[in-house]
Amino acid sequence: MNTNIPDITQPELAQTLQRALDNKTKPLGSLGRIEALAQRIGLILGTAQPVLQSPQMLVCAGDHGLAARGVSAYPSDVTWQMVENFLAGGAAVSVLARQHGIGLTVVDCGVKHDFAEQPGLLIRKVAHGTADALEGPAMSASQCAQAIANGREVLKGLQGNALLLGEMGIGNTSAASMLLARLAGLDVAEVTGAGTGLDAAAVQRKIGILREVLARHADASTPLDALAAFGGFEIATLVGAVLQAAVERRVIVVDGFIATSAVMVAAHLQPHVLQRCVFAHRSGERGHALMLAHLKAEPLLDLGLRLGEGSGAALAWPLLVSACALLREMASFEAAGVSRSEKISVGAEHTNSVRAEPVEAHASPSTGSGRTAVVGSARTEG
């Protein structure tokens, strides 16, 4: 838990990457956000010739005691049923992982069901679901620590240099909303949405319950205390996996609201985690834009997704592969024998040289405009 995650700002490598991108046979900056994405992956992996190897989708599953109070449109049994669906290959994330050659590992972090051993499933059950957070902490401090340790251990056993985050747990949008409200200092009504499909009246009941839980745990102000108070086991396991992936300098591809909540906790513990992250998309879940804004994160896509599972991360994955391929394989002007233009015309698509916008330029993630941001990353101070 005390492992320091260092700053990976590398000015010389950043300049090398930018020069390589600028010297490709294209107008300056004409590949837009893909260029910033390529540079970010190069910086994470520490090379001007990045290659993404053996990507791994980690889907962490757990149940929530608070779900019994009606904060979800679905019963808790859906958690274990969806785990079986993941393993059978029938879920959205299963299809996408198969399509893109992404390894899929499902972790039982605390599901209220006992699974038979089967390929692709790791049993790291801390308990059969968290406790009801309205009656006490969702997890004890020792349970929270164990789930985080499990995530670190699972990550160490996965191949590759890229981790895609996924999750499953009925009631886990409630946990994510409360974590955001507490760690970002926002009102819970601002960050709570329909989750799996609640109607307007049910959303208001959900907000009321979450407000009570937050008041019940008013003293849970540190990242780990808040995580233990609100849950869940799958989020805590993802926190551990994210921390370990950051230590190993893997590219971390962040899915939606729940996965981002795990990154938020990890980043509050170790801020340089964010330098290793690529944020796949802005979810349709109400609190996600605010969570991304809190992290100063720039999502790659905005498609109105709100499925979870890691589906958005898998959909964004080909953009990362393409960014690296363009950086490695696209010809330079010299190699291709292509003449450069001396003329610079900002904003003109068909001139031979267009001045690129700075990497830091961005659209606000809280606008909900549907416009994608510059790059699926988090802006961090040097």
Side-chain angles (χ1 to χ4, degrees):
M1 182 65 67
N2 296 322
T3 302
N4 183 56
I5 295 173
D7 184 355
I8 56 170
T9 302
Q10 301 151 90
E12 290 186 7
L13 177 57
Q15 290 177 5
T16 298
L17 287 161
Q18 191 62 58
R19 281 196 299 268
L21 289 163
D22 289 346
N23 199 36
K24 301 298 185 183
T25 48
K26 61 176 179 58
L28 281 173
S30 58
L31 283 172
R33 300 173 182 96
I34 297 299
E35 297 188 26
L37 177 59
Q39 184 178 89
R40 186 167 195 87
I41 296 169
L43 290 171
I44 295 169
L45 298 180
T47 176
Q49 297 285 316
V51 179
L52 295 166
Q53 299 174 332
S54 301
Q56 302 295 318
M57 173 70 71
L58 185 66
V59 179
C60 292
D63 277 308
H64 293 251
L66 196 65
R69 295 186 179 270
V71 294
S72 173
Y74 287 84
S76 290
D77 278 351
V78 170
T79 302
W80 73 260
Q81 291 165 356
M82 282 303 300
V83 168
E84 296 285 6
N85 193 24
F86 297 147
L87 297 169
V93 72
S94 311
V95 172
L96 293 168
R98 190 164 58 243
Q99 178 188 6
H100 297 304
I102 302 168
L104 176 61
T105 300
V106 182
V107 185
D108 172 8
C109 309
V111 180
K112 291 197 299 183
H113 181 82
D114 291 319
F115 296 98
E117 290 188 11
Q118 50 191 304
L121 175 66
L122 298 177
I123 306 296
R124 300 293 186 272
K125 193 190 300 287
V126 179
H128 285 74
T130 59
D132 184 344
L134 196 52
E135 296 180 355
M139 301 180 280
S140 68
S142 62
Q143 286 179 323
C144 185
Q146 183 60 59
I148 292 172
N150 288 348
R152 286 184 176 274
E153 174 262 328
V154 166
L155 192 281
K156 289 178 183 178
L158 296 179
Q159 298 178 336
N161 61 6
L163 172 69
L164 292 79
L165 305 180
E167 45 62 43
M168 179 63 215
I170 295 300
N172 62 11
T173 60
S174 293
S177 293
M178 291 187 289
L179 286 168
L180 177 57
R182 181 56 48 84
L183 296 181
L186 299 172
D187 186 82
V188 72
E190 296 181 62
V191 300
T192 303
T196 50
L198 295 172
D199 61 23
V203 170
Q204 290 307 308
R205 288 194 298 273
K206 177 180 177 180
I207 290 169
I209 292 168
L210 302 192
R211 202 179 292 283
E212 288 184 58
V213 174
L214 286 161
R216 172 76 170 75
H217 302 286
D219 295 333
S221 58
T222 69
L224 292 181
D225 286 348
L227 181 59
F230 309 133
F233 291 131
E234 78 279 27
I235 296 174
T237 304
L238 282 173
V239 170
V242 166
L243 290 169
Q244 186 61 36
V247 168
E248 298 181 15
R249 285 181 70 162
R250 302 195 194 201
V251 177
I252 302 168
V253 187
V254 187
D255 189 41
F257 189 42
I258 315 306
T260 307
S261 74
V263 170
M264 177 179 64
V265 173
H268 274 255
L269 295 170
Q270 294 282 345
H272 290 134
V273 160
L274 294 174
Q275 294 177 326
R276 283 81 165 166
C277 292
V278 173
F279 290 83
H281 71 111
R282 181 183 297 117
S283 165
E285 183 63 24
R286 182 172 182 178
H288 195 216
L290 292 169
M291 190 178 283
L292 291 169
H294 174 66
L295 296 175
K296 298 182 174 64
E298 311 281 0
L300 284 172
L301 303 172
D302 190 342
L303 301 174
L305 305 173
R306 55 183 182 85
L307 175 59
E309 302 180 2
S311 54
L315 284 166
W317 176 251
L319 294 176
L320 281 73
V321 175
S322 294
C324 291
L326 289 165
L327 182 58
R328 293 193 316 271
E329 301 174 23
M330 192 174 174
S332 67
F333 283 100
E334 291 77 11
V338 175
S339 299
R340 297 174 183 269
S341 171
E342 296 300 323
K343 183 169 68 174
I344 294 176
S345 177
V346 177
E349 283 187 10
H350 301 296
T351 60
N352 287 340
S353 184
V354 177
R355 181 67 61 194
E357 291 295 320
V359 170
E360 292 80 12
H362 66 282
S364 170
S366 61
T367 61
S369 65
R371 178 182 173 185
T372 53
V374 166
V375 62
S377 62
R379 301 187 309 282
T380 55
E381 297 300 321

